[in-house]
Amino acid sequence: DAGVIQSPRHEVTEMGQEVTLRCKPISGHDYLFWYRQTMMRGLELLIYFNNNVPIDDSGMPEDRFSAKMPNASFSTLKIQPSEPRDSAVYFCASSLAGQGDGYTFGSGTRLTVV
Amino acid sequence: AQSVTQLGSHVSVSEGALVLLRCNYSSSVPPYLFWYVQYPNQGLQLLLKYTSAATLVKGINGFEAEFKKSETSFHLTKPSAHMSDAAEYFCAVGHGGATNKLIFGTGTLLAVQP
């Protein structure tokens, strides 16, 4: 398996623009997680899905952020409108329920909002 | 509720010296415990895991960790540091239950001096 695949690796956008980050989890994994990492706040869980259904979105910072998982092999995290304070590295991770295998992380998307 | 505390946000060792990164956890159920490593500009990579089998767990790159229930600890060690070990290390706790949710520590940045 190719692992968790995120795209793009880098994104630079202007304030106010819409940004869409993409994630393809490992085939067969039934949990998907979106994290944000910054120097100031560390690793933050934004939202996670089980079998394509959002389970906990309490970490989503505000209504400008939304996430979807239309099928088992694809998820998006959208920011609209983007702001400079959204600049961070966004990670997607997937896992298999109850197996104690932990998460497999993607390589992340480095977002810069100017 | 579960939580994890990593003592020391920055640790510096000399090449060849012992590496000791501390992690204490809190869990009301038997925990699963993980150490992840993050190299610069990369995602988090699983280093090792404890899932109620042997209390001394060996991982990749010569690292190991010992689960001590009486001390609620899961410290990460390596007998001899290498320059390539310089990275950020995250401890995480979960229980593989219905939520499959891991709680991550705030990370410890390991510097290795020549």
mmCIF file of all heavy atoms in Angstrom, chain A residues 9 31 33 35 37 43 45 48 50 56 91 95-108 110, chain B residues 32 34 36 38 41-46 49-51 88 90 96-106:
data_model
loop_
_atom_site.group_PDB
_atom_site.id
_atom_site.type_symbol
_atom_site.label_atom_id
_atom_site.label_comp_id
_atom_site.label_asym_id
_atom_site.label_seq_id
_atom_site.Cartn_x
_atom_site.Cartn_y
_atom_site.Cartn_z
ATOM 1 N N ARG A 9 1.277 19.045 -1.464
ATOM 2 C CA ARG A 9 2.284 19.051 -0.395
ATOM 3 C C ARG A 9 2.477 20.460 0.144
ATOM 4 O O ARG A 9 2.732 20.662 1.324
ATOM 5 C CB ARG A 9 3.614 18.506 -0.903
ATOM 6 C CG ARG A 9 3.664 17.007 -1.075
ATOM 7 C CD ARG A 9 3.451 16.247 0.246
ATOM 8 N NE ARG A 9 4.283 16.708 1.343
ATOM 9 C CZ ARG A 9 5.505 16.273 1.590
ATOM 10 N NH1 ARG A 9 6.057 15.357 0.823
ATOM 11 N NH2 ARG A 9 6.189 16.731 2.638
ATOM 12 N N TYR A 31 -11.100 4.544 9.988
ATOM 13 C CA TYR A 31 -11.049 5.830 10.685
ATOM 14 C C TYR A 31 -10.138 6.777 9.921
ATOM 15 O O TYR A 31 -9.074 6.379 9.421
ATOM 16 C CB TYR A 31 -10.500 5.659 12.111
ATOM 17 C CG TYR A 31 -11.503 5.180 13.116
ATOM 18 C CD1 TYR A 31 -11.771 3.821 13.274
ATOM 19 C CD2 TYR A 31 -12.197 6.090 13.919
ATOM 20 C CE1 TYR A 31 -12.701 3.387 14.196
ATOM 21 C CE2 TYR A 31 -13.128 5.651 14.852
ATOM 22 C CZ TYR A 31 -13.370 4.305 14.982
ATOM 23 O OH TYR A 31 -14.293 3.867 15.901
ATOM 24 N N PHE A 33 -8.541 10.868 10.303
ATOM 25 C CA PHE A 33 -8.347 11.989 11.211
ATOM 26 C C PHE A 33 -7.695 13.149 10.459
ATOM 27 O O PHE A 33 -6.807 12.927 9.634
ATOM 28 C CB PHE A 33 -7.423 11.584 12.371
ATOM 29 C CG PHE A 33 -7.904 10.379 13.143
ATOM 30 C CD1 PHE A 33 -7.648 9.110 12.683
ATOM 31 C CD2 PHE A 33 -8.586 10.532 14.340
ATOM 32 C CE1 PHE A 33 -8.082 7.984 13.387
ATOM 33 C CE2 PHE A 33 -9.024 9.419 15.060
ATOM 34 C CZ PHE A 33 -8.769 8.150 14.576
ATOM 35 N N TYR A 35 -5.497 16.598 11.356
ATOM 36 C CA TYR A 35 -4.771 17.321 12.382
ATOM 37 C C TYR A 35 -4.175 18.587 11.782
ATOM 38 O O TYR A 35 -3.888 18.672 10.592
ATOM 39 C CB TYR A 35 -3.614 16.470 12.929
ATOM 40 C CG TYR A 35 -4.004 15.411 13.906
ATOM 41 C CD1 TYR A 35 -4.407 14.151 13.459
ATOM 42 C CD2 TYR A 35 -3.953 15.645 15.276
ATOM 43 C CE1 TYR A 35 -4.757 13.164 14.368
ATOM 44 C CE2 TYR A 35 -4.304 14.667 16.184
ATOM 45 C CZ TYR A 35 -4.700 13.429 15.729
ATOM 46 O OH TYR A 35 -5.052 12.449 16.620
ATOM 47 N N GLN A 37 -0.887 21.268 12.683
ATOM 48 C CA GLN A 37 0.313 21.421 13.511
ATOM 49 C C GLN A 37 0.916 22.807 13.308
ATOM 50 O O GLN A 37 1.194 23.221 12.184
ATOM 51 C CB GLN A 37 1.357 20.350 13.171
ATOM 52 C CG GLN A 37 2.558 20.361 14.109
ATOM 53 C CD GLN A 37 3.541 19.244 13.785
ATOM 54 O OE1 GLN A 37 3.802 18.947 12.625
ATOM 55 N NE2 GLN A 37 4.088 18.614 14.823
ATOM 56 N N LEU A 43 0.216 19.860 17.934
ATOM 57 C CA LEU A 43 -0.623 18.994 17.105
ATOM 58 C C LEU A 43 -2.058 19.055 17.629
ATOM 59 O O LEU A 43 -2.325 18.699 18.774
ATOM 60 C CB LEU A 43 -0.081 17.575 17.202
ATOM 61 C CG LEU A 43 -0.448 16.549 16.152
ATOM 62 C CD1 LEU A 43 -0.014 16.994 14.775
ATOM 63 C CD2 LEU A 43 0.185 15.214 16.511
ATOM 64 N N LEU A 45 -6.122 17.973 16.977
ATOM 65 C CA LEU A 45 -7.099 17.176 16.244
ATOM 66 C C LEU A 45 -8.254 18.077 15.826
ATOM 67 O O LEU A 45 -8.876 18.717 16.674
ATOM 68 C CB LEU A 45 -7.623 16.034 17.105
ATOM 69 C CG LEU A 45 -8.725 15.165 16.490
ATOM 70 C CD1 LEU A 45 -8.229 14.449 15.236
ATOM 71 C CD2 LEU A 45 -9.243 14.165 17.514
ATOM 72 N N TYR A 48 -12.605 13.873 13.136
ATOM 73 C CA TYR A 48 -12.340 12.541 12.655
ATOM 74 C C TYR A 48 -13.615 11.837 12.219
ATOM 75 O O TYR A 48 -14.717 12.183 12.673
ATOM 76 C CB TYR A 48 -11.537 11.706 13.653
ATOM 77 C CG TYR A 48 -12.244 11.200 14.873
ATOM 78 C CD1 TYR A 48 -12.771 9.908 14.917
ATOM 79 C CD2 TYR A 48 -12.326 11.969 16.025
ATOM 80 C CE1 TYR A 48 -13.372 9.413 16.059
ATOM 81 C CE2 TYR A 48 -12.929 11.492 17.174
ATOM 82 C CZ TYR A 48 -13.437 10.212 17.188
ATOM 83 O OH TYR A 48 -14.034 9.728 18.330
ATOM 84 N N ASN A 50 -15.531 7.995 11.124
ATOM 85 C CA ASN A 50 -15.580 6.547 11.203
ATOM 86 C C ASN A 50 -16.536 6.065 10.132
ATOM 87 O O ASN A 50 -17.699 6.482 10.111
ATOM 88 C CB ASN A 50 -16.031 6.092 12.589
ATOM 89 C CG ASN A 50 -16.164 4.575 12.701
ATOM 90 O OD1 ASN A 50 -17.078 4.062 13.337
ATOM 91 N ND2 ASN A 50 -15.259 3.831 12.094
ATOM 92 N N ASP A 56 -16.518 13.431 15.531
ATOM 93 C CA ASP A 56 -16.211 14.506 16.465
ATOM 94 C C ASP A 56 -15.544 15.637 15.699
ATOM 95 O O ASP A 56 -14.446 15.475 15.190
ATOM 96 C CB ASP A 56 -15.279 13.978 17.569
ATOM 97 C CG ASP A 56 -14.977 15.033 18.636
ATOM 98 O OD1 ASP A 56 -15.377 16.212 18.476
ATOM 99 O OD2 ASP A 56 -14.323 14.677 19.632
ATOM 100 N N PHE A 91 -2.220 17.583 8.642
ATOM 101 C CA PHE A 91 -1.971 16.162 8.462
ATOM 102 C C PHE A 91 -3.287 15.390 8.431
ATOM 103 O O PHE A 91 -4.223 15.687 9.170
ATOM 104 C CB PHE A 91 -1.125 15.604 9.606
ATOM 105 C CG PHE A 91 0.303 16.042 9.593
ATOM 106 C CD1 PHE A 91 0.757 17.011 10.472
ATOM 107 C CD2 PHE A 91 1.196 15.475 8.694
ATOM 108 C CE1 PHE A 91 2.082 17.416 10.460
ATOM 109 C CE2 PHE A 91 2.529 15.878 8.679
ATOM 110 C CZ PHE A 91 2.965 16.849 9.553
ATOM 111 N N SER A 95 -6.645 4.862 10.380
ATOM 112 C CA SER A 95 -6.386 3.710 11.244
ATOM 113 C C SER A 95 -7.489 2.683 11.086
ATOM 114 O O SER A 95 -8.546 2.948 10.520
ATOM 115 C CB SER A 95 -6.269 4.154 12.702
ATOM 116 O OG SER A 95 -7.539 4.499 13.230
ATOM 117 N N LEU A 96 -7.187 1.513 11.649
ATOM 118 C CA LEU A 96 -8.138 0.413 11.658
ATOM 119 C C LEU A 96 -8.670 0.292 13.077
ATOM 120 O O LEU A 96 -7.905 0.338 14.045
ATOM 121 C CB LEU A 96 -7.418 -0.866 11.246
ATOM 122 C CG LEU A 96 -8.230 -2.046 10.761
ATOM 123 C CD1 LEU A 96 -9.149 -1.656 9.614
ATOM 124 C CD2 LEU A 96 -7.279 -3.158 10.327
ATOM 125 N N ALA A 97 -9.969 0.153 13.215
ATOM 126 C CA ALA A 97 -10.584 0.158 14.534
ATOM 127 C C ALA A 97 -10.110 -0.990 15.397
ATOM 128 O O ALA A 97 -10.021 -2.129 14.955
ATOM 129 C CB ALA A 97 -12.108 0.082 14.386
ATOM 130 N N GLY A 98 -9.829 -0.664 16.652
ATOM 131 C CA GLY A 98 -9.639 -1.654 17.697
ATOM 132 C C GLY A 98 -8.435 -2.554 17.594
ATOM 133 O O GLY A 98 -8.285 -3.464 18.384
ATOM 134 N N GLN A 99 -7.564 -2.333 16.680
ATOM 135 C CA GLN A 99 -6.439 -3.250 16.481
ATOM 136 C C GLN A 99 -5.180 -2.814 17.212
ATOM 137 O O GLN A 99 -4.188 -3.526 17.215
ATOM 138 C CB GLN A 99 -6.137 -3.403 14.992
ATOM 139 C CG GLN A 99 -7.293 -3.961 14.181
ATOM 140 C CD GLN A 99 -7.715 -5.333 14.653
ATOM 141 O OE1 GLN A 99 -6.891 -6.215 14.836
ATOM 142 N NE2 GLN A 99 -9.003 -5.511 14.897
ATOM 143 N N GLY A 100 -5.221 -1.603 17.769
ATOM 144 C CA GLY A 100 -4.050 -1.134 18.486
ATOM 145 C C GLY A 100 -2.850 -0.858 17.600
ATOM 146 O O GLY A 100 -1.721 -0.863 18.083
ATOM 147 N N ASP A 101 -3.098 -0.648 16.333
ATOM 148 C CA ASP A 101 -1.987 -0.394 15.417
ATOM 149 C C ASP A 101 -1.605 1.076 15.345
ATOM 150 O O ASP A 101 -0.667 1.436 14.647
ATOM 151 C CB ASP A 101 -2.337 -0.879 14.010
ATOM 152 C CG ASP A 101 -2.311 -2.391 13.904
ATOM 153 O OD1 ASP A 101 -1.636 -3.021 14.734
ATOM 154 O OD2 ASP A 101 -2.982 -2.930 13.014
ATOM 155 N N GLY A 102 -2.351 1.912 16.033
ATOM 156 C CA GLY A 102 -2.047 3.328 15.958
ATOM 157 C C GLY A 102 -2.500 3.913 14.637
ATOM 158 O O GLY A 102 -3.283 3.316 13.909
ATOM 159 N N TYR A 103 -2.001 5.079 14.365
ATOM 160 C CA TYR A 103 -2.375 5.789 13.148
ATOM 161 C C TYR A 103 -1.236 5.735 12.134
ATOM 162 O O TYR A 103 -0.064 5.689 12.503
ATOM 163 C CB TYR A 103 -2.624 7.277 13.421
ATOM 164 C CG TYR A 103 -3.724 7.628 14.376
ATOM 165 C CD1 TYR A 103 -3.879 8.945 14.800
ATOM 166 C CD2 TYR A 103 -4.621 6.691 14.870
ATOM 167 C CE1 TYR A 103 -4.880 9.311 15.674
ATOM 168 C CE2 TYR A 103 -5.623 7.054 15.755
ATOM 169 C CZ TYR A 103 -5.740 8.368 16.149
ATOM 170 O OH TYR A 103 -6.735 8.739 17.018
ATOM 171 N N THR A 104 -1.609 5.799 10.868
ATOM 172 C CA THR A 104 -0.638 6.051 9.814
ATOM 173 C C THR A 104 -0.881 7.454 9.298
ATOM 174 O O THR A 104 -2.000 7.771 8.883
ATOM 175 C CB THR A 104 -0.779 5.036 8.672
ATOM 176 O OG1 THR A 104 -0.609 3.711 9.186
ATOM 177 C CG2 THR A 104 0.274 5.292 7.608
ATOM 178 N N PHE A 105 0.149 8.271 9.345
ATOM 179 C CA PHE A 105 0.037 9.670 8.937
ATOM 180 C C PHE A 105 0.484 9.869 7.495
ATOM 181 O O PHE A 105 1.394 9.183 7.015
ATOM 182 C CB PHE A 105 0.909 10.555 9.829
ATOM 183 C CG PHE A 105 0.306 10.859 11.168
ATOM 184 C CD1 PHE A 105 0.377 9.941 12.207
ATOM 185 C CD2 PHE A 105 -0.338 12.066 11.401
ATOM 186 C CE1 PHE A 105 -0.176 10.206 13.447
ATOM 187 C CE2 PHE A 105 -0.890 12.343 12.648
ATOM 188 C CZ PHE A 105 -0.817 11.420 13.660
ATOM 189 N N GLY A 106 -0.144 10.830 6.855
ATOM 190 C CA GLY A 106 0.352 11.297 5.579
ATOM 191 C C GLY A 106 1.517 12.258 5.777
ATOM 192 O O GLY A 106 1.896 12.569 6.916
ATOM 193 N N SER A 107 2.076 12.723 4.683
ATOM 194 C CA SER A 107 3.241 13.611 4.743
ATOM 195 C C SER A 107 2.872 15.054 5.028
ATOM 196 O O SER A 107 3.754 15.876 5.241
ATOM 197 C CB SER A 107 4.017 13.526 3.432
ATOM 198 O OG SER A 107 4.491 12.213 3.226
ATOM 199 N N GLY A 108 1.587 15.339 4.988
ATOM 200 C CA GLY A 108 1.133 16.673 5.353
ATOM 201 C C GLY A 108 1.048 17.644 4.183
ATOM 202 O O GLY A 108 1.663 17.442 3.128
ATOM 203 N N ARG A 110 1.610 21.704 3.717
ATOM 204 C CA ARG A 110 2.050 22.961 4.348
ATOM 205 C C ARG A 110 1.289 24.099 3.694
ATOM 206 O O ARG A 110 1.469 24.389 2.515
ATOM 207 C CB ARG A 110 3.550 23.157 4.196
ATOM 208 C CG ARG A 110 4.065 24.431 4.864
ATOM 209 C CD ARG A 110 5.582 24.520 4.794
ATOM 210 N NE ARG A 110 6.213 23.449 5.552
ATOM 211 C CZ ARG A 110 6.427 23.483 6.869
ATOM 212 N NH1 ARG A 110 6.064 24.540 7.571
ATOM 213 N NH2 ARG A 110 7.017 22.477 7.475
ATOM 214 N N TYR B 32 -3.328 1.452 25.389
ATOM 215 C CA TYR B 32 -2.369 1.220 24.317
ATOM 216 C C TYR B 32 -1.470 2.447 24.323
ATOM 217 O O TYR B 32 -1.946 3.584 24.479
ATOM 218 C CB TYR B 32 -3.052 1.114 22.953
ATOM 219 C CG TYR B 32 -3.885 -0.130 22.730
ATOM 220 C CD1 TYR B 32 -4.722 -0.237 21.625
ATOM 221 C CD2 TYR B 32 -3.855 -1.211 23.607
ATOM 222 C CE1 TYR B 32 -5.490 -1.363 21.382
ATOM 223 C CE2 TYR B 32 -4.619 -2.341 23.380
ATOM 224 C CZ TYR B 32 -5.437 -2.410 22.272
ATOM 225 O OH TYR B 32 -6.195 -3.533 22.044
ATOM 226 N N PHE B 34 1.952 4.525 22.465
ATOM 227 C CA PHE B 34 2.696 4.655 21.213
ATOM 228 C C PHE B 34 3.746 5.745 21.336
ATOM 229 O O PHE B 34 3.562 6.724 22.051
ATOM 230 C CB PHE B 34 1.757 5.036 20.057
ATOM 231 C CG PHE B 34 0.580 4.112 19.873
ATOM 232 C CD1 PHE B 34 -0.569 4.287 20.628
ATOM 233 C CD2 PHE B 34 0.621 3.095 18.941
ATOM 234 C CE1 PHE B 34 -1.658 3.438 20.471
ATOM 235 C CE2 PHE B 34 -0.470 2.241 18.770
ATOM 236 C CZ PHE B 34 -1.607 2.416 19.537
ATOM 237 N N TYR B 36 5.770 8.108 18.473
ATOM 238 C CA TYR B 36 5.920 8.499 17.079
ATOM 239 C C TYR B 36 7.129 9.409 16.958
ATOM 240 O O TYR B 36 7.447 10.160 17.880
ATOM 241 C CB TYR B 36 4.683 9.254 16.585
ATOM 242 C CG TYR B 36 3.489 8.373 16.299
ATOM 243 C CD1 TYR B 36 2.642 7.979 17.322
ATOM 244 C CD2 TYR B 36 3.211 7.949 15.006
ATOM 245 C CE1 TYR B 36 1.546 7.169 17.057
ATOM 246 C CE2 TYR B 36 2.114 7.148 14.736
ATOM 247 C CZ TYR B 36 1.287 6.759 15.771
ATOM 248 O OH TYR B 36 0.205 5.958 15.504
ATOM 249 N N GLN B 38 8.887 12.393 14.335
ATOM 250 C CA GLN B 38 8.653 13.305 13.209
ATOM 251 C C GLN B 38 9.969 13.957 12.831
ATOM 252 O O GLN B 38 10.507 14.772 13.587
ATOM 253 C CB GLN B 38 7.612 14.360 13.556
ATOM 254 C CG GLN B 38 7.266 15.256 12.379
ATOM 255 C CD GLN B 38 6.222 16.313 12.711
ATOM 256 O OE1 GLN B 38 6.087 16.748 13.855
ATOM 257 N NE2 GLN B 38 5.457 16.726 11.716
ATOM 258 N N ASN B 41 10.028 18.384 8.267
ATOM 259 C CA ASN B 41 9.240 18.447 7.030
ATOM 260 C C ASN B 41 8.637 17.103 6.627
ATOM 261 O O ASN B 41 8.402 16.852 5.441
ATOM 262 C CB ASN B 41 10.092 18.993 5.877
ATOM 263 C CG ASN B 41 10.605 20.386 6.172
ATOM 264 O OD1 ASN B 41 9.849 21.254 6.610
ATOM 265 N ND2 ASN B 41 11.883 20.599 5.974
ATOM 266 N N GLN B 42 8.390 16.263 7.619
ATOM 267 C CA GLN B 42 7.767 14.975 7.343
ATOM 268 C C GLN B 42 6.585 14.754 8.284
ATOM 269 O O GLN B 42 6.386 15.489 9.248
ATOM 270 C CB GLN B 42 8.775 13.833 7.491
ATOM 271 C CG GLN B 42 9.903 13.867 6.470
ATOM 272 C CD GLN B 42 10.784 12.635 6.562
ATOM 273 O OE1 GLN B 42 10.343 11.560 6.988
ATOM 274 N NE2 GLN B 42 12.025 12.783 6.147
ATOM 275 N N GLY B 43 5.798 13.724 7.977
ATOM 276 C CA GLY B 43 4.706 13.338 8.860
ATOM 277 C C GLY B 43 5.202 12.517 10.032
ATOM 278 O O GLY B 43 6.388 12.218 10.146
ATOM 279 N N LEU B 44 4.274 12.174 10.920
ATOM 280 C CA LEU B 44 4.634 11.360 12.073
ATOM 281 C C LEU B 44 4.727 9.898 11.644
ATOM 282 O O LEU B 44 3.889 9.386 10.911
ATOM 283 C CB LEU B 44 3.577 11.497 13.179
ATOM 284 C CG LEU B 44 3.669 12.721 14.063
ATOM 285 C CD1 LEU B 44 3.279 13.988 13.328
ATOM 286 C CD2 LEU B 44 2.788 12.540 15.308
ATOM 287 N N GLN B 45 5.754 9.236 12.165
ATOM 288 C CA GLN B 45 6.019 7.840 11.816
ATOM 289 C C GLN B 45 6.017 7.014 13.099
ATOM 290 O O GLN B 45 6.623 7.409 14.090
ATOM 291 C CB GLN B 45 7.388 7.760 11.125
ATOM 292 C CG GLN B 45 7.853 6.366 10.780
ATOM 293 C CD GLN B 45 9.257 6.377 10.203
ATOM 294 O OE1 GLN B 45 9.842 7.434 9.956
ATOM 295 N NE2 GLN B 45 9.813 5.200 9.982
ATOM 296 N N LEU B 46 5.330 5.890 13.071
ATOM 297 C CA LEU B 46 5.267 5.038 14.252
ATOM 298 C C LEU B 46 6.643 4.458 14.564
ATOM 299 O O LEU B 46 7.278 3.832 13.721
ATOM 300 C CB LEU B 46 4.259 3.916 14.041
ATOM 301 C CG LEU B 46 4.037 2.986 15.233
ATOM 302 C CD1 LEU B 46 3.415 3.754 16.404
ATOM 303 C CD2 LEU B 46 3.130 1.824 14.838
ATOM 304 N N LYS B 49 5.091 0.493 19.758
ATOM 305 C CA LYS B 49 3.793 0.509 20.415
ATOM 306 C C LYS B 49 3.720 -0.563 21.493
ATOM 307 O O LYS B 49 4.376 -1.609 21.398
ATOM 308 C CB LYS B 49 2.675 0.285 19.403
ATOM 309 C CG LYS B 49 2.745 -1.073 18.715
ATOM 310 C CD LYS B 49 1.620 -1.250 17.705
ATOM 311 C CE LYS B 49 1.731 -2.623 17.025
ATOM 312 N NZ LYS B 49 0.664 -2.823 16.020
ATOM 313 N N TYR B 50 2.929 -0.287 22.515
ATOM 314 C CA TYR B 50 2.616 -1.248 23.563
ATOM 315 C C TYR B 50 1.119 -1.502 23.530
ATOM 316 O O TYR B 50 0.329 -0.561 23.618
ATOM 317 C CB TYR B 50 3.024 -0.703 24.937
ATOM 318 C CG TYR B 50 2.421 -1.500 26.054
ATOM 319 C CD1 TYR B 50 2.968 -2.718 26.434
ATOM 320 C CD2 TYR B 50 1.272 -1.057 26.713
ATOM 321 C CE1 TYR B 50 2.391 -3.465 27.443
ATOM 322 C CE2 TYR B 50 0.691 -1.790 27.720
ATOM 323 C CZ TYR B 50 1.257 -3.006 28.083
ATOM 324 O OH TYR B 50 0.669 -3.758 29.072
ATOM 325 N N THR B 51 0.774 -2.797 23.416
ATOM 326 C CA THR B 51 -0.658 -3.139 23.369
ATOM 327 C C THR B 51 -0.947 -4.329 24.279
ATOM 328 O O THR B 51 -1.659 -5.256 23.902
ATOM 329 C CB THR B 51 -1.108 -3.451 21.936
ATOM 330 O OG1 THR B 51 -0.276 -4.496 21.412
ATOM 331 C CG2 THR B 51 -1.014 -2.239 21.048
ATOM 332 N N GLU B 88 11.527 15.305 16.345
ATOM 333 C CA GLU B 88 10.558 15.507 17.424
ATOM 334 C C GLU B 88 9.866 14.177 17.696
ATOM 335 O O GLU B 88 9.515 13.454 16.766
ATOM 336 C CB GLU B 88 9.543 16.589 17.065
ATOM 337 C CG GLU B 88 8.646 16.964 18.236
ATOM 338 C CD GLU B 88 8.053 18.348 18.111
ATOM 339 O OE1 GLU B 88 7.945 18.867 16.982
ATOM 340 O OE2 GLU B 88 7.665 18.930 19.157
ATOM 341 N N PHE B 90 6.780 12.112 19.783
ATOM 342 C CA PHE B 90 5.462 12.250 20.397
ATOM 343 C C PHE B 90 5.043 10.942 21.045
ATOM 344 O O PHE B 90 5.113 9.883 20.421
ATOM 345 C CB PHE B 90 4.409 12.627 19.347
ATOM 346 C CG PHE B 90 4.579 13.991 18.749
ATOM 347 C CD1 PHE B 90 5.376 14.188 17.627
ATOM 348 C CD2 PHE B 90 3.936 15.090 19.305
ATOM 349 C CE1 PHE B 90 5.533 15.452 17.070
ATOM 350 C CE2 PHE B 90 4.083 16.358 18.755
ATOM 351 C CZ PHE B 90 4.886 16.540 17.633
ATOM 352 N N GLY B 96 -7.884 1.638 21.941
ATOM 353 C CA GLY B 96 -8.373 0.797 20.859
ATOM 354 C C GLY B 96 -9.840 0.501 20.929
ATOM 355 O O GLY B 96 -10.336 -0.402 20.289
ATOM 356 N N GLY B 97 -10.563 1.302 21.689
ATOM 357 C CA GLY B 97 -11.984 1.043 21.839
ATOM 358 C C GLY B 97 -12.793 1.597 20.699
ATOM 359 O O GLY B 97 -12.278 1.833 19.613
ATOM 360 N N ALA B 98 -14.051 1.844 20.932
ATOM 361 C CA ALA B 98 -14.967 2.249 19.867
ATOM 362 C C ALA B 98 -14.530 3.546 19.193
ATOM 363 O O ALA B 98 -14.695 3.713 17.991
ATOM 364 C CB ALA B 98 -16.372 2.394 20.431
ATOM 365 N N THR B 99 -13.968 4.463 19.965
ATOM 366 C CA THR B 99 -13.603 5.740 19.353
ATOM 367 C C THR B 99 -12.297 5.650 18.583
ATOM 368 O O THR B 99 -12.056 6.460 17.697
ATOM 369 C CB THR B 99 -13.450 6.835 20.411
ATOM 370 O OG1 THR B 99 -12.322 6.529 21.226
ATOM 371 C CG2 THR B 99 -14.685 6.953 21.274
ATOM 372 N N ASN B 100 -11.450 4.685 18.947
ATOM 373 C CA ASN B 100 -10.148 4.538 18.299
ATOM 374 C C ASN B 100 -9.330 5.818 18.341
ATOM 375 O O ASN B 100 -8.494 6.054 17.493
ATOM 376 C CB ASN B 100 -10.320 4.108 16.846
ATOM 377 C CG ASN B 100 -9.216 3.161 16.406
ATOM 378 O OD1 ASN B 100 -8.925 2.210 17.093
ATOM 379 N ND2 ASN B 100 -8.596 3.448 15.282
ATOM 380 N N LYS B 101 -9.580 6.650 19.337
ATOM 381 C CA LYS B 101 -8.964 7.974 19.366
ATOM 382 C C LYS B 101 -7.689 7.930 20.197
ATOM 383 O O LYS B 101 -7.672 7.401 21.309
ATOM 384 C CB LYS B 101 -9.948 8.963 19.976
ATOM 385 C CG LYS B 101 -9.537 10.412 19.900
ATOM 386 C CD LYS B 101 -10.690 11.271 20.446
ATOM 387 C CE LYS B 101 -10.311 12.717 20.530
ATOM 388 N NZ LYS B 101 -11.433 13.531 21.054
ATOM 389 N N LEU B 102 -6.613 8.480 19.666
ATOM 390 C CA LEU B 102 -5.369 8.602 20.402
ATOM 391 C C LEU B 102 -5.238 10.014 20.954
ATOM 392 O O LEU B 102 -5.629 10.986 20.308
ATOM 393 C CB LEU B 102 -4.164 8.317 19.497
ATOM 394 C CG LEU B 102 -4.008 6.911 18.929
ATOM 395 C CD1 LEU B 102 -2.703 6.800 18.154
ATOM 396 C CD2 LEU B 102 -4.062 5.879 20.040
ATOM 397 N N ILE B 103 -4.686 10.103 22.146
ATOM 398 C CA ILE B 103 -4.360 11.392 22.747
ATOM 399 C C ILE B 103 -2.849 11.560 22.653
ATOM 400 O O ILE B 103 -2.095 10.726 23.176
ATOM 401 C CB ILE B 103 -4.810 11.458 24.214
ATOM 402 C CG1 ILE B 103 -6.304 11.119 24.342
ATOM 403 C CG2 ILE B 103 -4.502 12.828 24.797
ATOM 404 C CD1 ILE B 103 -7.216 12.050 23.594
ATOM 405 N N PHE B 104 -2.408 12.632 21.998
ATOM 406 C CA PHE B 104 -0.986 12.875 21.795
ATOM 407 C C PHE B 104 -0.437 13.830 22.845
ATOM 408 O O PHE B 104 -1.125 14.761 23.285
ATOM 409 C CB PHE B 104 -0.735 13.469 20.409
ATOM 410 C CG PHE B 104 -0.823 12.459 19.303
ATOM 411 C CD1 PHE B 104 -2.039 12.144 18.723
ATOM 412 C CD2 PHE B 104 0.321 11.817 18.843
ATOM 413 C CE1 PHE B 104 -2.128 11.206 17.702
ATOM 414 C CE2 PHE B 104 0.247 10.872 17.825
ATOM 415 C CZ PHE B 104 -0.978 10.571 17.255
ATOM 416 N N GLY B 105 0.820 13.599 23.205
ATOM 417 C CA GLY B 105 1.535 14.556 24.033
ATOM 418 C C GLY B 105 1.975 15.747 23.206
ATOM 419 O O GLY B 105 1.766 15.797 21.991
ATOM 420 N N THR B 106 2.604 16.693 23.882
ATOM 421 C CA THR B 106 2.996 17.940 23.229
ATOM 422 C C THR B 106 4.316 17.830 22.491
ATOM 423 O O THR B 106 4.737 18.776 21.837
ATOM 424 C CB THR B 106 3.090 19.075 24.263
ATOM 425 O OG1 THR B 106 3.908 18.632 25.343
ATOM 426 C CG2 THR B 106 1.715 19.431 24.798
#
